[in-house]
Amino acid sequence: MSFFVDKNGYYGQFGGAFIPELLYPNIKELEDNYLKILESDSFKKEFKELLDNYVGRPTPLYLAKRLSKKYGAKVYLKREDLNHTGAHKINNTIGQILVAKQLGKKRIIAETGAGQHGVATATVCALMDLECIVFMGEVDIKRQAPNVARMKMLGATVVPAKSGSKTLKDATNEAIRDWIGNPEDTYYLIGSVVGPHPYPDMVARLQSIISKEIKEQLLVQTGNENPDMIIACVGGGSNAAGAFYHYLDTKNVQLIAVEAAGLGVHSGQSAATSQLGDVGVLHGSKTILMQDKYGQVIEPYSISAGLDYPGIGPLHAFLHERERAVFMNATDQEALDAAYELTKIEGIIPALESAHALAVLPKMKFTTGQVVVVNLSGRGDKDLETYITHLKDE
Ligand SMILES: Cc1ncc(COP(=O)(O)O)c(C=O)c1O
């Protein structure tokens, strides 16, 4: 069985391109060109140069000794938090801005939840001198204020999404609406492995640098390029897709995807899509999403803006259906506890999203010497206010 996209843009039953007719030419143009561009020597050279010298790759793979001692395994952290702009999102935006330039696009639009993808998009637009418009839910604009300020300083226009739960899903709806209105000159720079084909595949390929480096670094540090387990949080699923990518066919590497359970999976305030959702179409692809019996999207909730999304990308829907990945979840409180713990015992303040991945460590039973990689997708600067507020309540 292949876990990679097939020639029609599907992962098993999931994926495809369910889009309004007005967008067919855009999607067709991207579909016809993305592999040619990604596989060209000039793209590979420029992408690598920017990742090495602008983003700061390779990011370290750090053996967290005190964390390892506590949980009885060798816990390695893949330090995506050390990337320029503070998260894995920049890997994807560097790649897609080069694609947009090749396609001759002048206006870039993006959606953002935690603001990390918005900041990463505004950054590459500043770098390439392109107009940038970022759609962001009103609730997220409030809870991720530092990132809103950064986007504005970088020259982006931030447009509030005021419908629904005023979070990532609603920002995505607004971005799609804008794209339908401006199909000619505009490139939609999607921030996760979601959306119509070829976006999920393109974003997974651009993020696959994460598992490429993990392999090389583990080989040097342990003599074996395969860990026993990789743990990553899943909003749309791009950091997880990147961390899993080069291990998808290596069956003895266990893949753990962690969703946000909010106030509890069955509390009505959750974003644990794989537990609560079923098959449907969301933002242009067939996937698993949280919906009511009429097919209306159920508003998600998580303390973490980046995981506050009612769907998962089609690759993850397939990994879940075929049980290639184990889907776990962590509540707001468990994520907060994990963030405080990492800060205290390793001196690293993680993003709230990444804290969800760390939060499953206490739920696992490891055997001594097991090698576990946690993808630390981002840093916690943007979440300081939330951390400080909740610390007072502790
Ligand atoms: C630090 C961080 N991790 C994870 C995510 C979730 O996105 P994805 O599932 O695409 O990696 C986000 C989204 O904004 C993020 O900022």
Side-chain angles (χ1 to χ4, degrees), residues 86-89 112-118 144 147 168 191-194 203 207 233-241 304-308 316 350-354 375-379 382-383:
H88 66 295
K89 296 285 182 185
T112 196
Q116 287 301 134
H117 174 59
Q144 306 281 221
N147 275 345
L168 181 56
S192 192
V193 284
V194 300
V203 177
Q207 291 291 2
C233 67
V234 172
S238 67
N239 85 90
S304 134
L307 304 185
D308 199 346
H316 292 291
L352 260 170
E353 291 77 14
S354 325
N375 196 36
L376 204 70
S377 55
R379 68 176 86 125
K382 68 184 179 56
D383 301 311

Side-chain angles (χ1 to χ4, degrees), residues 260-272 276 301 329-334:
L263 302 183
V265 174
H266 300 290
S267 65
Q269 298 277 293
S270 167
L276 300 170
Y301 163 78
N329 53 73
T331 63
D332 290 358
Q333 191 57 52
E334 288 166 342

Side-chain angles (χ1 to χ4, degrees), residues 113-149:
Q116 287 301 134
H117 174 59
V119 168
T121 305
T123 299
V124 294
C125 286
L127 187 67
M128 301 293 175
D129 192 20
L130 292 169
E131 185 187 355
C132 181
I133 295 119
V134 179
F135 296 91
M136 187 169 189
E138 245 183 2
V139 167
D140 293 339
I141 287 182
K142 284 204 191 90
R143 63 178 158 174
Q144 306 281 221
N147 275 345
V148 177

Side-chain angles (χ1 to χ4, degrees), residues 332-348:
D332 290 358
Q333 191 57 52
E334 288 166 342
L336 286 166
D337 292 344
Y340 297 133
E341 176 177 271
L342 189 74
T343 305
K344 285 208 183 104
I345 73 173
E346 294 288 350
I348 299 170

Side-chain angles (χ1 to χ4, degrees), residues 120-274:
T121 305
T123 299
V124 294
C125 286
L127 187 67
M128 301 293 175
D129 192 20
L130 292 169
E131 185 187 355
C132 181
I133 295 119
V134 179
F135 296 91
M136 187 169 189
E138 245 183 2
V139 167
D140 293 339
I141 287 182
K142 284 204 191 90
R143 63 178 158 174
Q144 306 281 221
N147 275 345
V148 177
R150 291 163 82 197
M151 283 183 264
K152 289 186 176 162
M153 186 165 171
L154 287 158
T157 306
V158 180
V159 181
K162 299 181 180 190
S163 59
S165 55
K166 304 181 178 62
T167 59
L168 181 56
K169 156 182 76 67
D170 314 291
T172 309
N173 288 338
E174 291 297 331
I176 293 174
R177 214 163 286 148
D178 178 292
W179 202 23
I180 292 170
N182 302 281
E184 302 258 299
D185 63 337
T186 298
Y187 181 86
Y188 181 15
L189 207 163
I190 295 186
S192 192
V193 284
V194 300
H197 177 69
Y199 280 103
D201 182 47
M202 178 167 62
V203 177
R205 284 169 187 261
L206 295 171
Q207 291 291 2
S208 71
I209 183 75
I210 300 174
S211 47
K212 180 171 178 283
E213 287 176 9
I214 294 174
K215 278 195 151 188
E216 292 163 1
Q217 292 166 321
L218 270 184
L219 186 61
V220 172
Q221 293 186 38
T222 70
N224 182 352
E225 63 179 17
N226 296 337
D228 294 296
M229 186 183 289
I230 305 180
I231 306 175
C233 67
V234 172
S238 67
N239 85 90
F244 296 168
Y245 197 86
H246 290 287
Y247 293 109
L248 286 171
D249 286 337
T250 313
K251 292 287 155 56
N252 55 356
V253 177
Q254 231 193 319
L255 308 177
I256 312 283
V258 186
E259 296 177 313
L263 302 183
V265 174
H266 300 290
S267 65
Q269 298 277 293
S270 167
T273 304
S274 70

